[in-house]
Amino acid sequence: MNAERRYYDPDVQTMPLERLRALQAERLARQLDRVWSVPVPFFRRKLEAAGLRRADLRGLGDLPLIPTTVKDDLRRSEEEHPPFGDYRGAPIEACVRLGASTGTSGRPTLILWTPKDLAVDHAASARGRWRWGLRPGMSLANAHPFGVNAGGWHFSHGVEMLGVLNVPSGPPLGEAHVRDVLEVWRRIRPDMYRLFGNVARTYADAARAMGLDPERDLNLRITGDHPAEQYLMVSSGLEALPLLGSACEERDGAHLAEDLAIVEVIDRRTARPCGDGERGNLVVTVLEKDNFLLRYDLEDLVRWNTKPCPCGETHRRLFYEGRVRDVVRVGDRELLPIDVAFVLYEFPEVSHPSAEYQIVRRADVLRVRVEYDPAVDAGGLARRLGERFQERFGVAADVELVPRGAVPRFAYKAARVVDA
Ligand SMILES: [Zn+2]
């Protein structure tokens, strides 16, 4: 593999759009055939209930006729047809790996991969991480969880496929584990780290407590948790295509893998497709995998960047904005944690080294609880923050400043929205 190459898969990533759409149409037709030929009872039922036969679905333009599917539909299918449900595109005997989605929003669903499914996921992952400068011969530490949640497996195999020395470290699970991980990092000094903000800080704090300098001794730099970092990647979950896209050096949205998935952004109330810059639900149709999903609505909010990218890649770009369940309605405004975070990062007093905050769900006022630097005047800071929120979003804001360490830390992903 030529490490100087600009794109991981140049033919695919720079394919003219017209050819890309033709490829999608051909791959979609193959998945639709399989709904009836495998068959996949869940999707067959869904299509037939909508009055659709195979012959009614002739091309990409007919895709919006297919009803969307959400995680709850998959859950119900698994309950009614235990243990795997009846939505699988491959017979269970053909599957070689099982994972479970995280149970944060209800009963976890089971995820199955055939060898081909793994190959597709890993190729997408390699393509995505190549854009970040990861090259064969480098080493990379990750802190994704292993076990049944499967994120660590996916991440690890994807980077190993690139020829990278993978250092699977796991989230910090107790003192002994943290010490063992730090000892490995000290010896290896990985070229790159992929750690969520709080995870990086937990490890860095423990390193300092052991008398180590994270940057000098471990090559671990805490880059902060600026909300724009969230725009560097888009995932459609382990059940669809885990690394759906990543940002190129333009850092203006994540280039999707449109050869492997058809991506739609739809308004969740009207089902109308969203245009450039409009927030809507991410809906993904998985191509090329044996276990595929048709028009799977991730209940995630995203927005398009449909402008051609100067980097030369043709696949469209997407910004990941947050989860639908994290939408906070204040008056007639719909806000997400990322909106609040962008404002907080204008104020070093609450965002250095990182903003630790929670939004308390209230309908009448934007209530934000945030940790602050105790050296500053709290009354004046709370007022300035409140004025900036009001100016930015046009809603009344109530800012509660709390001491460092008062907002709960999470081992994996932070819960930014809490009920009053
Ligand atoms: Zn680009």
Side-chain angles (χ1 to χ4, degrees):
M1 188 169 290
N2 174 9
E4 296 313 308
R5 209 174 60 218
R6 180 164 186 180
Y7 312 106
Y8 178 74
D9 194 343
D11 290 344
V12 169
Q13 289 171 255
T14 62
M15 185 179 281
L17 277 181
E18 204 171 297
R19 262 184 58 211
L20 185 57
R21 299 292 164 241
L23 182 69
Q24 285 182 323
E26 181 193 311
R27 291 179 169 178
L28 173 64
R30 216 149 53 208
Q31 298 298 47
L32 290 172
D33 286 344
R34 295 176 61 225
V35 169
W36 279 270
S37 67
V38 169
V40 187
F42 173 90
F43 283 116
R44 184 169 165 175
R45 226 169 30 240
K46 197 155 207 160
L47 289 164
E48 289 178 351
L52 297 167
R53 295 154 303 156
R54 175 65 188 92
D56 297 321
L57 299 162
R58 288 176 300 266
L60 291 180
D62 294 330
L63 188 66
L65 299 174
I66 300 175
T68 57
T69 290
V70 293
K71 183 81 138 258
D72 257 341
D73 299 326
L74 305 183
R75 241 175 234 136
R76 204 166 314 119
S77 168
E78 290 182 11
E79 277 161 21
E80 286 167 8
H81 306 271
F84 297 114
D86 64 347
Y87 63 89
R88 311 290 173 175
I92 180 67
E93 314 81 71
C95 298
V96 295
R97 186 182 297 164
L98 178 142
S101 67
T102 53
T104 46
S105 57
R107 193 178 106 125
T109 54
L110 301 177
I111 304 157
L112 293 171
W113 287 266
T114 65
K116 185 184 176 198
D117 294 340
L118 290 174
V120 170
D121 275 3
H122 298 159
S125 155
R127 187 194 301 181
R129 299 183 207 290
W130 184 276
R131 291 195 192 95
W132 294 342
L134 201 58
R135 295 291 181 272
M138 293 172 73
S139 58
L140 173 78
N142 79 80
H144 287 273
F146 281 78
V148 82
N149 286 146
W153 301 107
H154 170 260
F155 186 96
S156 291
H157 289 279
V159 301
E160 287 162 16
M161 205 189 120
L162 252 182
V164 163
L165 177 63
N166 175 40
V167 187
S169 310
L173 298 170
E175 265 174 59
H177 173 249
V178 168
R179 224 176 13 250
D180 289 350
V181 167
L182 290 172
E183 176 56 18
V184 170
W185 290 356
R186 191 184 63 77
R187 288 193 225 169
I188 310 277
R189 297 185 85 252
D191 293 311
M192 218 186 252
Y193 285 85
R194 289 305 293 177
L195 315 172
F196 288 96
N198 281 326
V199 169
R201 272 187 296 283
T202 303
Y203 277 121
D205 289 346
R208 284 188 209 98
M210 285 167 68
L212 298 170
D213 178 323
E215 183 156 352
R216 188 192 62 222
D217 297 317
L218 310 173
N219 197 35
L220 172 61
R221 272 174 229 91
I222 307 290
T223 52
D225 224 2
H226 195 276
E229 302 275 311
Q230 186 178 308
Y231 292 148
L232 299 181
M233 204 186 103
V234 176
S235 172
S236 53
L238 289 164
E239 65 273 36
L241 194 67
L243 210 159
L244 183 63
S246 71
C248 64
E249 72 271 14
E250 299 292 323
R251 294 173 76 103
D252 195 17
H255 282 288
L256 300 170
E258 293 197 80
D259 54 316
L260 303 177
I262 300 173
V263 175
E264 299 168 84
V265 180
I266 63 168
D267 183 294
R268 69 181 188 282
R269 292 188 189 83
T270 62
R272 164 189 72 78
C274 292
D276 186 81
E278 260 181 286
R279 271 184 189 168
N281 280 36
L282 171 62
V283 175
V284 168
T285 295
V286 180
L287 308 171
E288 290 306 271
K289 286 172 76 169
D290 293 324
N291 286 294
F292 64 100
L293 295 167
L294 297 176
R295 297 202 84 216
Y296 183 52
D297 178 347
L298 285 118
E299 298 166 280
D300 275 338
L301 288 164
V302 294
R303 88 189 135 85
W304 282 120
N305 176 358
T306 55
K307 291 183 280 297
C309 187
C311 82
E313 292 202 45
T314 49
H315 300 226
R316 287 175 297 175
R317 289 172 288 172
L318 208 63
F319 296 99
Y320 171 73
E321 301 281 15
R323 305 277 302 153
V324 168
R325 69 163 188 269
D326 282 342
V327 168
V328 175
R329 262 192 95 86
V330 185
D332 57 1
R333 282 301 302 251
E334 287 197 340
L335 298 170
L336 281 168
I338 193 169
D339 300 317
V340 168
F342 271 115
V343 170
L344 295 176
Y345 274 83
E346 295 173 15
F347 294 79
E349 306 92 315
V350 293
S351 60
H352 185 78
S354 65
E356 297 301 335
Y357 67 98
Q358 284 187 318
I359 306 168
V360 183
R361 207 183 275 284
R362 293 265 304 262
D364 54 334
V365 65
L366 173 61
R367 186 168 172 78
V368 179
R369 179 181 294 151
V370 61
E371 295 181 6
Y372 78 114
D373 175 355
V376 304
D377 161 42
L381 177 60
R383 195 189 58 247
R384 281 187 292 129
L385 276 163
E387 284 166 3
R388 182 68 184 119
F389 281 124
Q390 167 94 47
E391 175 187 38
R392 184 73 189 71
F393 306 126
V395 299
D398 170 13
V399 178
E400 181 193 356
L401 295 172
V402 297
R404 284 273 166 210
V407 170
R409 305 293 195 267
F410 293 83
Y412 195 35
K413 289 178 185 169
R416 293 299 187 195
V417 180
V418 293
D419 289 321

